Structures are given as structure tokens and as C-alpha cells.
Amino acid sequence: MITQVIKNVMSDAENVAVYNAPILQTYLTNVPFVLPDDENVVKEFVKLGEMFITKSCEKLGADKRTRPRLGYGRMKIIEILRFIMKEDVLNSKELVAKTDNFFPILFNLVKQYDMNNMLHNEVIKILEIALSEPEDSLLNKAVLKEQVLVNFIAEEWQEDKKIKAGDSVYKSRKGYIAHVINLCVRLRELGETNQQIKTMVEGTPSYT
């Protein structure tokens, strides 16, 4: 049954995916996930895990101009991603790390839906999972890759200064700016024990 639910969440039919995403999220968070001894079944689940992350990235590549609201189903997909990463279900941390566009897609969502606080909270939780991983882990390296994270923070920090000074096209502060400020603080904290983060922060002039 659970395999079919996972497949349904990945369905291109919007109504099918939206209906099944909350079911999958409820199942994962309430039923202990234990793989059977059958090797063929294990392989099927691993393949499903890979497909789920890939398909999730496709579904989360949303554009506010064509999709004014992110939608309940997509929010549930983000919650599922956060949960399976936290619990490392089916080696999800490694699978996410190997998905090149995973974190850029999350940052784009935050920018697109700048007043969606539920989205911002979930994205921050996912970032915390990745940033808290050991420095030599694939996931930690992935979230810091090509300085996408620190550039996002620096750009938003500078834009907020312009907004407050009245020099921006935006009339009001972004809904996620408090998260950006907290990320600044968090990166400095993590930089005390993670040399890669420390070097990245210190090497970005606009960060300060």
C-alpha cells in the first residue's frame, strides 16, 4: 500500500498528488519505517526514494506568476522531504546531496513565496539538518556548494538595507528576512567548528 501512495504523490496528475501527499506524510511520521528482509522489495523502495526526491524537485520548481499559491500538497512534500532527511530514510541525506538543484530550488521557493511563513520555516529546518551534518559529509558539502547559500543570505541582507533606506523597488521588508538574519548568526556559530563554513563566510565581503 505505501509504495502505491509514494507513486501517487509523484503523479503528474495534480489532484492525485495533492490528495496522497498528506497521507504519506502522516504515515511516515506515525508508523515506524522498517524495511523487510526481501532484497527485491528493498531495491524497489530505494528506487522509489530516488524517484521521490527527483520528482519532488520537479514539483517544487514553482513560479508564482503561474502558480500564485504554492498549495497544500507541495507544502506536504516539503514536510516529507524534511522528515526523511532528518531520519535519513533510505539514505535520503546522500540522495539529496547528489541532487544538484535541490537547495537552489528551495531558495527560489523562498524568494517566490516571500510571505509564506510555513514554507520558510520548513526550508530553514531542512537547512539546519544539512548545516549540522559533519563537515566531511556529502550533505554538508552540498548545502555549501558554489556558495549558493551564503550568496542568497548576502543578497537578501543587502536588499533589506535598501528597503529600509527606501532605495529598493520593494516597498516592504521580505517576509523571510528574520530567517536570513538568524541564518547569519547560525553560520557564524557553525563556523567555529566547521572550517568550510568559516572560510566561506569570511570570503564573502557582502556577508558583513
Side-chain angles (χ1 to χ4, degrees), residues 35 41-51 90 95:
L35 287 171
V41 175
V42 172
K43 287 181 179 179
E44 181 182 4
F45 268 101
V46 171
K47 185 176 180 180
L48 277 175
E50 294 174 349
M51 291 175 60
L90 298 173
L95 294 176

Side-chain angles (χ1 to χ4, degrees), residues 10 49-59 99 101:
M10 295 186 291
E50 294 174 349
M51 291 175 60
F52 177 78
I53 291 173
T54 300
K55 195 67 177 180
S56 293
C57 286
E58 292 179 14
K59 288 180 174 293
T99 305
N101 60 342

Side-chain angles (χ1 to χ4, degrees), residues 7-52:
K7 292 176 181 178
N8 288 345
V9 174
M10 295 186 291
S11 171
D12 290 326
E14 185 73 8
N15 59 330
V16 175
V18 168
Y19 178 79
N20 283 272
I23 296 175
L24 178 58
Q25 196 257 351
T26 300
Y27 179 90
L28 288 172
T29 54
N30 288 277
V31 179
F33 188 82
V34 180
L35 287 171
D37 294 328
D38 190 320
E39 185 177 342
N40 291 327
V41 175
V42 172
K43 287 181 179 179
E44 181 182 4
F45 268 101
V46 171
K47 185 176 180 180
L48 277 175
E50 294 174 349
M51 291 175 60
F52 177 78

Side-chain angles (χ1 to χ4, degrees), residues 156-191:
E156 295 302 326
W157 181 260
Q158 294 300 323
E159 186 64 41
D160 190 58
K161 288 182 179 179
K162 292 180 181 180
I163 293 173
K164 289 189 288 185
D167 298 328
S168 172
V169 295
Y170 299 100
K171 301 302 180 183
S172 58
R173 301 179 78 187
K174 306 286 187 66
Y176 52 83
I177 192 61
H179 289 303
V180 171
I181 294 171
N182 289 336
L183 272 174
C184 289
V185 175
R186 184 62 177 139
L187 284 178
R188 291 197 180 283
E189 292 175 349
L190 291 167

Side-chain angles (χ1 to χ4, degrees), residues 23-182:
I23 296 175
L24 178 58
Q25 196 257 351
T26 300
Y27 179 90
L28 288 172
T29 54
N30 288 277
V31 179
F33 188 82
V34 180
L35 287 171
D37 294 328
D38 190 320
E39 185 177 342
N40 291 327
V41 175
V42 172
K43 287 181 179 179
E44 181 182 4
F45 268 101
V46 171
K47 185 176 180 180
L48 277 175
E50 294 174 349
M51 291 175 60
F52 177 78
I53 291 173
T54 300
K55 195 67 177 180
S56 293
C57 286
E58 292 179 14
K59 288 180 174 293
L60 295 177
D63 188 325
K64 193 175 182 180
R65 292 171 296 182
T66 56
R67 183 175 297 282
R69 294 186 178 182
L70 183 60
Y72 183 71
R74 282 175 174 75
M75 272 304 309
K76 286 300 175 184
I77 287 175
I78 294 172
E79 290 179 25
I80 292 169
L81 287 169
R82 187 252 302 166
F83 178 81
I84 63 175
M85 287 175 65
K86 179 176 178 290
E87 301 298 326
D88 201 19
V89 177
L90 298 173
N91 295 320
S92 294
K93 291 179 179 179
E94 181 177 343
L95 294 176
V96 165
K98 292 180 178 179
T99 305
D100 288 339
N101 60 342
F102 184 84
F103 291 105
I105 283 174
L106 292 185
F107 297 137
N108 179 62
L109 279 177
V110 170
K111 289 183 176 182
Q112 291 280 333
Y113 301 93
D114 60 328
M115 300 306 290
N116 189 328
N117 196 50
M118 289 180 64
L119 165 66
H120 306 159
N121 287 336
E122 288 300 319
V123 170
I124 290 299
K125 290 175 184 177
I126 289 175
L127 291 177
E128 178 63 28
I129 292 170
L131 289 168
S132 298
E133 284 289 292
E135 183 176 357
D136 60 349
S137 70
L138 289 176
L139 186 59
N140 191 263
K141 291 179 179 178
V143 73
L144 301 175
K145 186 178 179 180
E146 297 178 357
Q147 296 194 331
V148 175
L149 170 59
V150 75
N151 286 338
F152 165 77
I153 294 173
E155 289 169 8
E156 295 302 326
W157 181 260
Q158 294 300 323
E159 186 64 41
D160 190 58
K161 288 182 179 179
K162 292 180 181 180
I163 293 173
K164 289 189 288 185
D167 298 328
S168 172
V169 295
Y170 299 100
K171 301 302 180 183
S172 58
R173 301 179 78 187
K174 306 286 187 66
Y176 52 83
I177 192 61
H179 289 303
V180 171
I181 294 171
N182 289 336

